[in-house]
Amino acid sequence: MSDITKVPQAPAPDVLRCAYMELVVTDLEKSRFFYVDVLGLVVTKEDENSIYLRAAEEFIHHNLVLRKGKEPAVAAFAFRVRSQEDVDKAEAFYQELGCETRRGDFTDGVHNAVRVVDPLGFPYEFFYEVDHVERLAWRYDLQIPGQIVRLDHFNQVTPDVPSATTYMENLGFRTTENIKDDAGVTYASWMRRKATVHDTAMTGGDGPRMHHIAFATHEKHNILAICDKLGALRISDQIERGPGRHGVSNAFYLYLRDPDGHRVEIYTQDYYTGDPDNPVVTWDVHDNQRRDWWGTPVVPSWYTDASRVLDLDGNIQPLVARTDARELDVTIGADGFSYTRKDDTETGFKLGEQI
């Protein structure tokens, strides 16, 4: 059994960034239309069972693998490390935690990787050796309005956010922002390796599940272009939330649902976090602007829905229930409240009306 509370004596691998996700989808043709024809991700390779996709400025083989299967799920959250030696370090780090590990080539284009089921139940991959492909940063003739340029981050759902945060910090991640309340409950935590707000986040809820995968675009008008395209194609119902600007991360955002319900965020304009003394930003869970800077209501599905994850044999991981207070419950409806100005004594029309 793995132990999330243990601090391994083995050194943590030097993680560079989140690099790709492997998603199981039920209809490859519908998924291809969504990710390629609508969002403009670039096809590196495809066959009857899988599609390998990358963002326009990427030079490694892929940022997203779509693999055909019977039930939608996440097969891997993959991180690139600094060297092949760091792959070995990752294997030793997780073996000391009591986690299952496997070595091999799990996807085309990535070699000599290690996959683990981490102490939270998530399937992680760490890799260094990878095939290079053409970086399309200068191919403006190929880029579309709303062009996606990079993979930015993952967001994971887990019951115990403080323990998950400590474990990720032991892995070498640094916390940039979090959401808490006066009672000491932590509802979410954002952590990074590259010098942005996050490479992954831990969101409180029944887990392990995948809340979303996020791709970056250069400017917010690209997000508006994506919304216009979705409207023109009469598939605006795939917009779940946004466009808007987050309080957390300060980024402009749009949340979409793919044909299997996997959540995809389009994201831009967060801030630099690379200094060693970069301060942690803590948000009050009752601050109405933490999730949307304009105070726009958060749809309930954003709090409740998430994708299941697989073990290393392809089986759906069982869920562990969250026992701490839930953000949805303490900020929405008759039992919850939120504020725009903390010291106001009169409620406005948005307070406690997040649905």
Side-chain angles (χ1 to χ4, degrees), residues 104-123:
D105 294 7
F106 301 99
T107 61
D108 289 348
V110 174
H111 312 288
N112 300 318
V114 61
R115 283 195 176 181
V116 309
V117 174
D118 81 351
L120 305 176
F122 291 100

Side-chain angles (χ1 to χ4, degrees), residues 16-288:
L16 297 175
R17 58 172 170 135
C18 63
Y20 81 86
M21 178 176 285
E22 182 180 352
L23 279 181
V24 179
V25 300
T26 58
D27 190 316
L28 213 52
E29 183 177 351
K30 288 182 179 179
S31 293
R32 191 188 196 283
F33 175 76
F34 176 79
Y35 287 103
V36 178
D37 297 333
V38 177
L39 294 185
L41 290 174
V42 179
V43 177
T44 300
K45 181 179 180 179
E46 60 184 324
D47 57 36
E48 62 183 8
N49 294 311
S50 58
I51 306 175
Y52 291 80
L53 303 173
R54 69 185 192 274
E57 294 184 356
E58 186 57 83
F59 70 91
I60 68 170
H61 189 268
H62 55 266
N63 299 126
L64 181 66
V65 180
L66 305 176
R67 178 164 56 83
K68 187 176 180 179
K70 293 183 178 180
E71 186 172 358
V74 179
F77 301 76
F79 297 91
R80 192 155 196 225
V81 295
R82 189 169 297 278
S83 69
Q84 191 60 32
E85 181 183 2
D86 286 293
V87 177
D88 299 334
K89 288 181 179 179
E91 184 175 37
F93 181 91
Y94 281 98
Q95 286 178 347
E96 189 175 339
L97 287 174
C99 299
E100 181 181 5
T101 67
R102 293 185 188 174
R103 294 294 290 261
D105 294 7
F106 301 99
T107 61
D108 289 348
V110 174
H111 312 288
N112 300 318
V114 61
R115 283 195 176 181
V116 309
V117 174
D118 81 351
L120 305 176
F122 291 100
Y124 273 13
E125 178 179 303
F126 299 90
F127 72 95
Y128 173 71
E129 294 182 9
V130 64
D131 294 347
H132 288 197
V133 293
E134 181 185 4
R135 175 179 267 160
L136 301 176
W138 300 271
R139 291 298 307 272
Y140 295 107
D141 56 316
L142 300 178
Q143 295 183 28
I144 63 171
Q147 186 65 53
I148 290 171
V149 294
R150 289 184 298 277
L151 173 64
D152 191 83
H153 63 266
F154 308 136
N155 189 302
Q156 303 169 236
V157 183
T158 191
D160 184 345
V161 175
S163 294
T165 302
T166 299
Y167 145 65
M168 293 298 288
E169 289 174 343
N170 291 337
L171 187 57
F173 284 70
R174 292 189 175 184
T175 301
T176 58
E177 302 200 24
N178 53 41
I179 296 175
K180 297 185 177 184
D181 66 16
D182 291 340
V185 176
T186 302
Y187 296 85
S189 184
W190 284 255
M191 287 157 288
R192 64 92 177 168
R193 286 296 299 176
K194 67 183 185 305
T196 63
V197 171
H198 55 320
D199 285 277
T200 195
M202 296 294 172
T203 295
D206 299 348
R209 293 183 295 164
M210 186 274 287
H211 191 273
H212 64 265
I213 180 174
F215 292 94
T217 188
H218 279 310
E219 299 180 13
K220 58 181 178 289
H221 69 74
N222 290 322
I223 289 178
L224 301 180
I226 291 171
C227 291
D228 282 339
K229 186 174 185 178
L230 291 163
L233 293 170
R234 290 287 176 174
I235 53 173
S236 60
D237 52 346
Q238 290 186 257
I239 299 174
E240 180 187 33
R241 182 180 164 210
R245 184 175 295 281
H246 286 307
V248 175
S249 83
N250 196 45
F252 204 81
Y253 71 86
L254 174 70
Y255 290 98
L256 307 173
R257 303 293 285 273
D258 82 356
D260 284 290
H262 296 307
R263 184 179 288 106
V264 179
E265 182 182 17
I266 313 300
Y267 180 96
T268 190
Q269 298 179 343
D270 61 356
Y271 59 90
Y272 170 78
T273 62
D275 285 14
D277 56 347
N278 180 74
V280 176
V281 177
T282 295
W283 294 81
D284 181 353
V285 70
H286 300 296
D287 187 340
N288 196 41

